[in-house]
Amino acid sequence: MNEISYLRVSVTDKCNLKCFYCRPDNSEFVPHEEILRYEEIARLVRAMTRYGLRKVRITGGEPLVRPQLEELVRMLKEIPQINDVSLTTNAITLARHAEKLREAGLDRLNISIDSLKPDLFFQITKGRLEDVLEGIRVSKKLGFDPIKVNAVIVKGLNEDEALDFVEFGAEYGVEVRFIEMMPIGGEQINWSEEKVKPLDEIKRKIEEKYGKLIPAISIGSGAARVYKIEKLGSKIGFITPISNPFCDGCSKLRLTAEGHIKLCLRTDEELDAKPVIRYGSDEELDSFIRKVLIEKEISNQKIVKSGYAFSDCRRIMTSIGG
């Protein structure tokens, strides 16, 4: 039976932005009473450490819209086997929360920025770029390192900003991750192959200006292929779920805000964990996790056999958890 080393935990499906590829206009939120409590999340994480879990990433929606998130961070950091707790955020309100998160023990930050042009950033997200930049500045002063910036590259929209992002990463001391747009959300999301910018083309463009990229490693690099730009002394990464899948041997699971274990972004296959987390005995929870591990292995094999296809991904990204 395979182990699971990494769990992405969504604490809410609500978000204070409206990115077009993530949250459609007609999206409905999960009722409050259906959302897992922090204690319930911590119970599942503690049980999963028996099967290799060591890293937890907190996601949303936008996780910082949920009150007292630092309490969950503290609970997770108190679990001896968990050695890395990170957060993915749009950083709109990060400047207000960063200090409490740092004090609670949060290790790392991933911040989503899809454009460095304030007008285009607003067009994509309906938010203010300056709020995000202030969140980065505050977090750097508090000692968060590394801070990673995720940029979803959409052909014909922001692909011309690749070099700007490279310079931004060097200037702010952050690691930029370029991500291909994925067909998640089914008919609710306006996705097409024409919108996917293969990141090999972005990589070539960067190398034309800065020279050969050197393969590197980075803390918590996960799905990213990471490189160092020697000329700038900075790192960048590429996440290529469309043009160059990275699924083989995957040991990652996702927990949705309402308590479903999602096996992979490429499929809507899920297992409902909430009943056993909320009402089950420790033995029942352990048995459930064993079932999840078996289903995860089967799912991995099916995805490889399908040629890494995205099949029936009707859930929108805000309800999955990044």
Side-chain angles (χ1 to χ4, degrees):
M1 186 183 298
N2 289 345
E3 290 191 337
I4 290 296
S5 62
Y6 182 18
L7 179 68
R8 296 177 76 105
V9 174
S10 173
V11 295
T12 180
D13 63 338
K14 295 179 180 177
C15 187
N16 47 11
L17 295 181
K18 281 191 96 170
C19 301
F20 69 89
Y21 59 81
C22 185
R23 180 184 162 200
D25 291 335
N26 60 350
S27 59
E28 297 181 0
F29 300 120
V30 176
H32 176 72
E33 63 272 13
E34 296 298 322
I35 300 291
L36 288 180
R37 297 186 288 270
Y38 290 158
E39 293 83 1
E40 292 171 333
I41 294 170
R43 184 188 183 204
L44 177 64
V45 168
R46 192 175 294 107
M48 290 184 71
T49 61
R50 292 195 290 273
Y51 297 94
L53 182 61
R54 297 296 178 264
K55 297 196 300 182
V56 177
R57 175 172 297 281
I58 301 169
T59 69
E62 169 47 43
L64 294 181
V65 305
R66 182 154 175 186
Q68 299 178 309
L69 187 64
E70 66 275 5
E71 293 304 316
L72 175 60
V73 173
R74 192 170 286 112
M75 289 178 190
L76 297 176
K77 291 294 289 185
E78 288 173 353
I79 300 172
Q81 298 91 338
I82 298 299
N83 55 34
D84 186 82
V85 178
S86 55
L87 174 74
T88 292
T89 173
N90 61 35
I92 291 292
T93 63
L94 180 59
R96 300 203 304 267
H97 296 284
E99 187 170 5
K100 286 183 179 180
L101 292 168
R102 189 66 173 164
E103 289 173 353
L106 186 71
D107 294 296
R108 297 183 293 108
L109 288 164
N110 275 40
I111 296 172
S112 302
I113 307 178
D114 293 331
S115 177
L116 297 170
K117 301 172 183 176
D119 290 348
L120 182 55
F121 182 87
F122 180 81
Q123 178 187 329
I124 295 171
T125 68
K126 303 300 184 287
R128 277 180 14 113
L129 177 62
E130 180 52 38
D131 293 335
V132 180
L133 300 182
E134 179 62 13
I136 293 175
R137 288 190 287 263
V138 169
S139 299
K140 289 290 289 185
K141 287 179 182 177
L142 289 168
F144 281 107
D145 184 59
I147 294 175
K148 297 175 184 177
V149 168
N150 298 332
V152 175
I153 300 300
V154 182
K155 195 170 185 177
L157 184 68
N158 62 351
E159 62 182 294
D160 63 334
E161 293 191 67
L163 298 181
D164 294 336
F165 270 108
V166 170
E167 295 287 345
F168 170 81
E171 177 186 351
Y172 274 74
V174 299
E175 297 183 18
V176 174
R177 299 284 186 274
F178 296 110
I179 305 172
E180 291 173 342
M181 185 180 177
M182 292 175 278
I184 294 172
E187 63 279 356
Q188 302 176 79
I189 299 296
N190 183 20
W191 184 89
S192 69
E193 289 272 6
E194 288 72 35
K195 291 185 177 181
V196 178
K197 179 70 173 179
L199 294 185
D200 279 352
E201 298 176 25
I202 297 290
K203 183 172 179 279
R204 282 196 295 271
K205 187 175 182 180
I206 293 170
E207 288 186 320
E208 285 173 7
K209 180 166 183 179
Y210 300 104
K212 184 73 174 174
L213 297 179
I214 309 301
I217 58 173
S218 178
I219 298 171
S221 59
R225 295 178 173 92
V226 182
Y227 298 88
K228 183 176 182 180
I229 304 176
E230 287 201 322
K231 192 173 181 179
L232 298 176
S234 59
K235 291 179 182 178
I236 58 171
F238 302 92
I239 299 177
T240 55
I242 306 297
S243 66
N244 193 358
F246 40 79
C247 303
D248 296 13
C250 174
S251 62
K252 177 193 299 182
L253 290 171
R254 286 174 169 81
L255 176 67
T256 70
E258 76 276 25
H260 289 187
I261 299 271
K262 187 170 178 63
L263 301 175
C264 177
L265 280 178
R266 294 177 184 270
T267 172
D268 271 348
E269 292 180 336
E270 299 176 354
L271 294 91
D272 188 0
K274 183 165 58 185
V276 70
I277 296 172
R278 188 164 284 183
Y279 306 114
S281 66
D282 289 346
E283 291 75 17
E284 288 168 330
L285 180 56
D286 187 77
S287 177
F288 174 81
I289 293 170
R290 286 176 172 271
K291 178 182 177 183
V292 168
L293 296 182
I294 292 169
E295 293 297 324
K296 172 64 174 175
E297 192 166 346
I298 293 170
S299 176
N300 283 357
Q301 292 170 1
K302 287 197 296 188
I303 287 165
V304 172
K305 288 178 181 176
S306 75
Y308 308 101
F310 281 82
S311 58
D312 300 324
C313 301
R314 295 186 179 91
R315 258 191 184 268
I316 60 173
M317 203 65 176
T318 49
S319 77
I320 294 172

